[in-house]
Amino acid sequence: MIIVLDKSATPEQIQQIASKLEESGYQAHPIYGVAKTVIGAVGVPDEEKPGLMEQFEALPFVEKVIIVMAPYKLAAKAYRPEGTVVRVADRVNIGGNHVCIMAGPCTVETREQTLATARAVKEAGAHMLRGGAYKPSTSPYSFQGLGVDGLKILAEARAETGLPVVTEVMDPRNVELVCRYADMLQIGTRNMQNYDLLREVGKTRHPVLLKRGMWARIDEWLMAAEYIMKGGNENVVLCERGIRTFETATRNTLDLSAVPLVKQESHLPVVVDPSQGTGKWSLVTAMSRAAVAAGADGLIIEVHPHPEQAWKDGAQSLTFENFRQLMAEVRAIANAMGKEM
Amino acid sequence: MIIVLDKSATPEQIQQIASKLEESGYQAHPIYGVAKTVIGAVGVPDEEKPGLMEQFEALPFVEKVIIVMAPYKLAAKAYRPEGTVVRVADRVNIGGNHVCIMAGPCTVETREQTLATARAVKEAGAHMLRGGAYKPSTSPYSFQGLGVDGLKILAEARAETGLPVVTEVMDPRNVELVCRYADMLQIGTRNMQNYDLLREVGKTRHPVLLKRGMWARIDEWLMAAEYIMKGGNENVVLCERGIRTFETATRNTLDLSAVPLVKQESHLPVVVDPSQGTGKWSLVTAMSRAAVAAGADGLIIEVHPHPEQAWKDGAQSLTFENFRQLMAEVRAIANAMGKEM
Amino acid sequence: MIIVLDKSATPEQIQQIASKLEESGYQAHPIYGVAKTVIGAVGVPDEEKPGLMEQFEALPFVEKVIIVMAPYKLAAKAYRPEGTVVRVADRVNIGGNHVCIMAGPCTVETREQTLATARAVKEAGAHMLRGGAYKPSTSPYSFQGLGVDGLKILAEARAETGLPVVTEVMDPRNVELVCRYADMLQIGTRNMQNYDLLREVGKTRHPVLLKRGMWARIDEWLMAAEYIMKGGNENVVLCERGIRTFETATRNTLDLSAVPLVKQESHLPVVVDPSQGTGKWSLVTAMSRAAVAAGADGLIIEVHPHPEQAWKDGAQSLTFENFRQLMAEVRAIANAMGKEM
Amino acid sequence: MIIVLDKSATPEQIQQIASKLEESGYQAHPIYGVAKTVIGAVGVPDEEKPGLMEQFEALPFVEKVIIVMAPYKLAAKAYRPEGTVVRVADRVNIGGNHVCIMAGPCTVETREQTLATARAVKEAGAHMLRGGAYKPSTSPYSFQGLGVDGLKILAEARAETGLPVVTEVMDPRNVELVCRYADMLQIGTRNMQNYDLLREVGKTRHPVLLKRGMWARIDEWLMAAEYIMKGGNENVVLCERGIRTFETATRNTLDLSAVPLVKQESHLPVVVDPSQGTGKWSLVTAMSRAAVAAGADGLIIEVHPHPEQAWKDGAQSLTFENFRQLMAEVRAIANAMGKEM
């Protein structure tokens, strides 16, 4: 922690800060410049005194306080420099030298639609099945998902195709139930800072797909992972799905720089959702190629037998044919990267 | 709903859309322009077929689909054109010709800190007491609130000062408990689209302070209110608390235009949180004056006996003295607006 | 400047940085922490070595470099702590205890429209006339302004009403010409970092209204003022006009927090443009009140005899009647602030 | 154009709009819905009446006006559906099946630095040389470029290596001068809506590299291209270089979705600047791969013999060795895309 003082700070005020630092277990190293005094605090990781930074900022003679240490520990690269491979259902790896493709409908609508999609994506080479049984809808009048019936359909599709299932859980009261049917829990973008939910999935040992909040900086996203990991569940996969910006031509702005950046900062695998990220099926294949070229460990793709009849997100869903084409193009990029797929 | 077709659309394709519209209960009105064909859909409120818009967008010959009707009904101005006054604890009104001041600590830390603050803000003229017992913290290592002990301290402060209490609820499992102690439930910015929580508070009849998501457009914020109201709880007060932008000099960008805009779009009262909105105590008073001048029905302000010792958000908390000054300045503005305070 | 080193930095690398700092005239103060080493650089204002910060960042063992000193000098509060009052045409003051109202058409369309508007705003109590002769239009097919003929019309309106004129200059080649006709030069939002233009207006002694770039942080805005002041022209008035965010309900997001923040950081007066800031005439009056309550030194307002016939920006222009109403409401707020208007 | 009326609109008001549309050469097609009336305007391209949209919005009974036609013509895909290949200096193509690499120093500092870099990037396989002689600096105290001396050094580097030169022009008064030395003119991000500059480069026939404004939506960027093309200069190459968002871990947020989107909307080639886009040398190679995988026609990369001694942007400059590595990795991706490089 570095505390920048106002020009006006008196020796007594500087001493006041030094004492407070020392009470908190830090050593204070003041540097007296021409125009400002700066105090470096050494000796205790910043995150152990979370209110401290703001307390200093509350002093009228303090200009600003700068945090030097990253606030995450378990999610940090240093915790496992070789990188984490998250294993799902004892048969699919996310991370390492492998590009993992999760595909399926935005929403489980019917048994037929889900099974048909599961078969098609399996045949095209996908490794996991995605599909929503609990749907976060902007409107309370929209379809909210089939709930437990949807989970059962997903489990049936898994039984038939062998594809492990990832599906969203929104309510901490449903975590146990969803664990019973699904192989991987998805935390949606709107719930990235739903701390009670994060704590609840942190109690399980199910792999978690943690989507980035559409408003979240990368450090905040890693802190959400930290919540889950602190509970003992280290099977976290990050998912970049676009952030909210002024651009309206796409539904979100897919921030692919987050991929190599997260790889530098963290040991956790990171996958990309180009369907949500762009909101337009005609951009999904290009952004899938780009995501893998940026170093992503996988993709999660919305596929529907008839996007023009989908109950949700038809505009960003691929047809089976388009998904097959995507797989071929992404495989070429994965190979150029020296990765398997 | 208006559907804009690509130049390439054939008469058959236009007919396909018209049929689909008619199956859904709309009448289709095509307009044939020189360069494009546009189909107006008439007769059914857009929100009753939520997937429909995206289904049309999934068609390759559709360029875009434009929604004309606002998606909210109960939150819309037309539902109660005279405006809503939310009554809290049978003694405080939010809305109408009155400026309601809620003040108190960011976080309930101790009985002493909370009671001292409650007395000070009461004396300065505040109408309600705020204070957090459950705290959403970016870091899992930070203080997470005193929980039920915090609620009890708030109830004691109310008993002594007569100030109704507003406090945050984060977990749907805690809604009933918080209702037992608090007079008004706060939904925090991170939970604006936590739909299970919204549904749960919608089942109560407690007044709700619904903070704007830091990433949320105004229509999405009103849709979150709609979730609560659809459950039967129409006692919703909106709270503008800043949105996330590229500007880093303030913690958030307080969007005061939202105040008159919400007044045009909705009948719900709207208050402003300049403490969260700016993150800097030295800006709080100016932005409080501005909020009331923009037409806000109230303010929610963080106050602490010793901001430089606060466990959370000291940087944006006012001292008692600064809060008294704020009250005087805001009262002058309220009076200039012809309002009581 | 503070340089945060990677854990891996060796004593030789630390020495390399210290030497480089000392060559540049700084003294290096290393602080050795448990996990990181931090080097404080003391003795020379940061801005004199602009490439230096990035050079350090280019070193693989440097994690980040933090600038402590504000980069602006002439625009900084410390340069003139009592605040600047900019005097226009020897009769209007911007700054101090006075709220200055500039009003007029977005664009000079005709002699009649401009004169009628000038008379109406004068009668309602405005202090200056605004109007565009050179118009920045997103489309090359749109009206680009009357040019010098527009300037002549503005000068005629000034001759009749006595209102000094503020008008935009876009091209450095036109600065001299615009100075001949106008009393104050406006730099539009798109040109806030058009450095050749800033340098050119810095050579004149004409007052300058410097609009904030819709993408600009406050420090960058003050640096644009610094460009003008460095040329010797200290008559700069800042104008907040909204920034670009994800919110689409308003044309821009008017950042009123910028008003008290600029007052803390700088001695320059700051006015607000609620017409551009919101893009909607129905929000202009509320945001004008809010701007003055936030502490703005003035307002710039678009007024048109017939907004529904305006060649540009009709949607955000007030009728004469609405402008009169605005003046009454804003005056009440100004008085509540203890200011004249 | 589609005009959505308020519920309250009377038949007379609807007629008023219809008449106004017809005066402007449109035919009006009203659609009477249950809750709203919508008027479709047919027959004249929207952009020919630019003020019209806002005039309708100025009417109190108009809720909103929606533009259906894209405002650009010359930049639109339909203008040249087969795509444009811009030829530079009679020897380098941008567009088509070729990935064009432009590389060189951010800033021309010295003859030695520039020549050494030109040789190194040539040897590594770059097709063009970049380098700034006129530099837009946030600070007036920073280095502003060598000006004409820098242009001469670039010309010398071209003479030796054969690499055509792209360099920025900021001032309309310098366009002719820069054309004398450079093969391609760069319009920087800050000048994307500097219309006098755009008009000036539109008068030349020099290829133009038009960077996206960091605040610009894609339609606005294409409109900036339209300004240049309207002047008769159709040799425009678009350059995505990152937009400004709330994320601070990168200097900008590189919006790679813009690449496939621009390819759908326009015939103009599009290249990507990952150096400016990320601001961090350690992310440049990953984002270069991603850009090419997204379909970019080229890259523009900052390279410096000694980034830790660069006068500007050292933090985002590659060493010669890193640039060679980048070329190898990007070539693999280009080949996987079936492109030459």
Side-chain angles (χ1 to χ4, degrees), chain B residues 116-136:
Chain B
T117 308
R119 283 175 209 129
V121 301
K122 161 84 177 181
E123 200 185 292
H127 310 98
M128 286 181 62
L129 177 65
R130 62 147 291 155
Y134 298 94
K135 295 304 303 176

Side-chain angles (χ1 to χ4, degrees), chain C residues 74 195 197-205 223-236, chain D residues 140-141:
Chain C
L74 305 173
Y195 297 119
L197 181 61
L198 297 181
R199 272 188 283 261
E200 207 65 35
V201 304
K203 291 180 197 161
T204 76
R205 293 300 172 265
M223 283 308 277
E226 190 86 8
Y227 259 94
I228 299 169
M229 297 177 81
K230 182 164 177 284
N233 186 354
E234 299 194 352
N235 302 307
V236 178
Chain D
Y141 308 110

Side-chain angles (χ1 to χ4, degrees), chain C residues 54-55 137 141 226-227 310 313, chain D residues 54 137 141 226-227 310 313:
Chain C
E54 292 242 326
Q55 289 176 14
S137 278
Y141 307 110
E226 190 86 8
Y227 259 94
D313 286 349
Chain D
E54 292 242 327
S137 277
Y141 308 110
E226 190 87 7
Y227 259 94
D313 285 349

Side-chain angles (χ1 to χ4, degrees), chain C residues 54-72:
Chain C
E54 292 242 326
Q55 289 176 14
F56 286 128
E57 286 184 336
L59 294 166
F61 52 90
V62 168
E63 215 179 84
K64 59 177 161 185
V65 181
I66 298 156
I67 293 294
V68 167
M69 300 285 292
Y72 35 87

Side-chain angles (χ1 to χ4, degrees), chain D residues 182-193:
Chain D
D183 303 288
M184 188 176 202
L185 305 173
Q186 178 180 312
I187 302 292
T189 184
R190 293 170 178 82
N191 283 314
M192 194 204 82
Q193 291 184 326

Side-chain angles (χ1 to χ4, degrees), chain A residues 13 33 42 51 84 104 110 114 135 143 150 212 228 264 308 336:
Chain A
Q13 290 171 332
V42 163
T84 287
T110 65
T114 305
K135 295 304 303 177
F143 180 59
R212 181 178 181 182
I228 299 169
Q264 289 173 13
E308 76 285 2

